[in-house]
Amino acid sequence: MNKIDDFEYGQFVMYDGKVMLVYGVPYEEEDEGYPDQIQLTEEKSPRLYDKKEETECTKCILAPVNDVIKLLAVKVSEDTLRSFFRIDTTPWKLCTEKLYPIAKESGSFILSEDDVETFLSRLGSIDPVVYGEWQTQFVFGDHVKTQNEDPNHFTLKMVWNLMRDDFEWYDAEEDEPEYIQAIWDFYKLNKGKELDQINFPDEYKNTVISDIYLSSKENPISDMQKQTYIKLLNEQVTAGDHWAIRHKAYAYYGGNSIVPCDWKKAEETLLKLHNTQTEDAKYAANSLGYIYYSDRLGEPDYDKAFRYFSEAAEYGIIEATYKLADMYRKGHGTKKQTQKAFSTYKNLYENEFEKFKDKHTGCKLADVALRMGYCYENGEGIQSDLFKALEYYQIANNAIDARIAEHKHFGDETVKRNIDNSILRISDKLENTLPDIINENDFNGINLTGRMVYLFMCVEKFLVTIYPEKDWTLVAEKMWPWTEDYWDKGWDRYSVVVPEFLLEYPSYEETSALSYEGNITKEDYNTLIMLYSDITSGDGKQDIDIILMAPIDFCNECEGTSASEALKSTMPIFNTVAEVFRKNHLRLPDIQSVKDFSIEEAGAWGESKDTRNYSIILA
């Protein structure tokens, strides 16, 4: 029996004696209505739109999934691919009169001028269904290449790209013969010409600019290509083409693979972009703010920077908002207002932190956390707190590492360098402020339950400071009830979150049976696996392993001994935790916060009680 999951958009299938394409499968909220049906279309291409987006050109039917036959892709030779392209033959003739898809493994063939001419000469008389298959394989597929060694390589490649762009929307049933003639005329007019001699219609120029630029990112390009790129780009900018204005502005803003950085040209073009009164105008304002704020044009112009950052900030541009706050913090272009700057950073931080927690690693958390660190380090707009400063610098460091790994925006390396320098600077300041060990006298008068609560506080402090982007709720929920019941039950409940136990076996089934005797749900297992996947292997050597194992070690040390002995024998566990905190330049929680757990209570063991009010995660 077929399953809905067996099918995907654009897949060729046979239904009711016809070759069709999969257009969509039911969304979860619609499954109740037709869980065993699939959407099919007889269109030459499903165009791969979202099913919820109604399109006039696509007529879909619902078919029982078990009546749909999957058609296996056919691997063909290079010569056969060429024949398909030229319409010398069709997939019908190859596959006993039935349309089958060409497998991706078929590779590609090298396009020649003769191939292009043959296809264009036949285009006007092609059966629409045959054209639909051609379009699917060669416009939406990847079976055509151009030969780099060919002297006419770039001209032919450009002609093919322009043709492909047109053919993406060409309809063999509806489009007029004049359309085909226009493509022919363009080809014949420019066949064999050098790139700089091709007469590109205005509507093609942006495609040429884009194609040369994309080619330059993959391989070195010729001087002729560079000259053509610059010539067409300038022509389009002079003509007021919005796309070209934006492209040129950001080509020179830092430089790209063809033109070097030129801040003056960037400024001139960004001013044009800013004057377009389009959506791009607000981003142009932000970029102009950066140019004037720095010495990119020789000397900073803080008045202009403040003006453009203010405008961009009004539009909600994050970078402009924190740069505007920078100007308030430093008194550049405006009156110095450190509290206003800090308040702005704080609001931005809270919003960006939520984005980062939701896996939006391209957000600006690193930039605003760095600035929060500056404020706490120097007492700007808030009372100085070096430990708080370091926490924000560490959060900034985690965020920039994630951003560089997945996005690497312009300027990220500079941000990373500033964060690294800040961590080194603050670490030096804190070097002599952290205790080497915790003395038994520090816990004087505090019972064993209170000491366990203190360990829980250490666990939470470490987790939320070192890995603030992660949701540690499940760990806290398994940990804090420990003090409400017998400690062996707490041990069993909490042990599911300890990486050394959780990651000992490779699958849920083995872990559940061998580590937890069936006492871990699959939902909890999957949540924890995702939580730890990028930070520990569970080998017990990482700082997080040591911290999360501390409550287990504490409980084990207390088992089978007297309270007086446990009070002494558990002290090395606290010093192990203190060592990890010192290594990470973290301030330990205040021991005095658990002073109410009197050593006189229950023979120094302490009473069972709900201690979740001490949690910073469950609060």
Side-chain angles (χ1 to χ4, degrees), residues 41-58:
T41 177
E42 293 186 59
E43 288 278 326
K44 56 183 176 287
S45 167
R47 305 224 174 150
L48 307 186
Y49 292 130
D50 189 300
K51 181 174 71 66
K52 287 184 173 179
E53 213 176 288
E54 294 296 331
T55 56
E56 295 180 1
C57 64
T58 303

Side-chain angles (χ1 to χ4, degrees), residues 220-502:
I221 60 174
S222 67
D223 289 340
M224 183 185 296
Q225 288 170 264
K226 293 179 181 179
Q227 292 164 8
T228 301
Y229 169 87
I230 295 170
K231 173 176 173 289
L232 294 180
L233 187 57
N234 288 335
E235 288 177 1
Q236 290 294 85
V237 169
T238 300
D241 182 86
H242 178 77
W243 180 91
I245 292 172
R246 183 180 65 236
H247 184 89
K248 180 178 179 179
Y250 289 104
Y252 286 104
Y253 189 93
N256 68 10
S257 50
I258 299 178
V259 298
C261 174
D262 188 320
W263 296 116
K264 188 61 181 174
K265 288 182 179 178
E267 178 206 19
E268 292 169 354
T269 319
L270 282 168
L271 287 170
K272 290 183 179 180
L273 187 62
H274 179 259
N275 292 334
T276 60
Q277 302 301 310
T278 63
E279 182 74 7
D280 287 317
K282 60 185 180 182
Y283 298 105
N286 182 55
S287 299
L288 285 165
Y290 271 95
I291 287 177
Y292 296 130
Y293 184 80
S294 64
D295 58 357
R296 293 170 179 175
L297 295 176
E299 293 290 335
D301 188 332
Y302 291 132
D303 290 339
K304 285 185 178 180
F306 189 82
R307 170 193 161 191
Y308 284 108
F309 279 142
S310 296
E311 180 183 332
E314 282 292 318
Y315 286 112
I317 304 297
I318 304 298
E319 298 96 317
T321 306
Y322 65 66
K323 290 301 293 184
L324 193 62
D326 287 350
M327 300 191 78
Y328 282 118
R329 179 165 61 91
K330 298 174 182 179
H332 288 163
T334 186
K335 181 182 177 182
K336 188 172 184 177
Q337 300 180 63
T338 56
Q339 288 185 332
K340 184 173 184 176
F342 178 79
S343 177
T344 302
Y345 295 145
K346 188 173 184 293
N347 290 335
L348 286 175
Y349 175 84
E350 290 170 354
N351 293 331
E352 295 304 292
F353 186 76
E354 289 303 313
K355 293 178 188 177
F356 193 67
K357 284 175 65 177
D358 289 338
K359 310 300 182 185
H360 298 298
T361 55
C363 72
K364 301 299 180 181
L365 178 61
D367 310 86
V368 293
L370 175 62
R371 287 163 168 80
M372 288 290 285
Y374 288 157
C375 289
Y376 275 105
E377 181 179 359
N378 301 305
E380 296 179 308
I382 192 71
Q383 185 175 350
S384 177
D385 186 329
L386 298 184
F387 286 99
K388 268 287 189 187
L390 181 58
E391 288 180 17
Y392 281 109
Y393 290 148
Q394 289 169 326
I395 290 169
N397 191 53
N398 289 341
I400 196 62
D401 285 346
R403 193 164 80 197
I404 289 174
E406 295 191 27
H407 307 277
K408 199 167 186 179
H409 298 158
F410 175 75
D412 275 355
E413 293 298 337
T414 300
V415 176
K416 172 66 175 173
R417 187 163 54 251
N418 290 339
I419 293 169
D420 288 343
N421 290 337
S422 297
I423 290 175
L424 288 174
R425 182 178 64 250
I426 204 79
S427 297
D428 287 342
K429 292 180 180 180
L430 291 172
E431 186 63 31
N432 297 319
T433 65
L434 296 167
D436 293 321
I437 61 171
I438 297 176
N439 294 309
E440 188 172 352
N441 290 336
D442 295 329
F443 280 113
N444 190 38
I446 299 172
N447 64 38
L448 289 165
T449 298
R451 299 184 189 199
M452 175 72 93
V453 168
Y454 184 76
L455 272 183
F456 295 167
M457 294 169 65
C458 291
V459 169
E460 285 198 341
K461 177 70 174 290
F462 179 87
L463 295 178
V464 300
T465 305
I466 302 300
Y467 305 106
E469 74 281 6
K470 293 182 177 289
D471 183 356
W472 296 106
T473 302
L474 181 57
V475 173
E477 288 175 344
K478 297 293 184 183
M479 181 170 64
W480 285 101
W482 199 331
T483 61
E484 299 175 31
D485 209 336
Y486 293 110
W487 282 18
D488 57 342
K489 291 184 178 180
W491 194 105
D492 290 340
R493 185 189 299 109
Y494 173 78
S495 65
V496 301
V497 307
V498 178
E500 284 187 61
F501 303 147
L502 182 77

Side-chain angles (χ1 to χ4, degrees), residues 448-449 452 482 486-492 501 550-570 573 605:
L448 289 165
T449 298
M452 175 72 93
W482 199 331
Y486 293 110
W487 282 18
D488 57 342
K489 291 184 178 180
W491 194 105
D492 290 340
F501 303 147
I552 295 289
D553 292 337
F554 184 89
C555 187
N556 290 344
E557 195 63 39
C558 292
E559 186 177 3
T561 189
S562 66
S564 59
E565 285 297 321
L567 291 170
K568 295 179 180 180
S569 63
T570 53
I573 297 168
W605 288 101

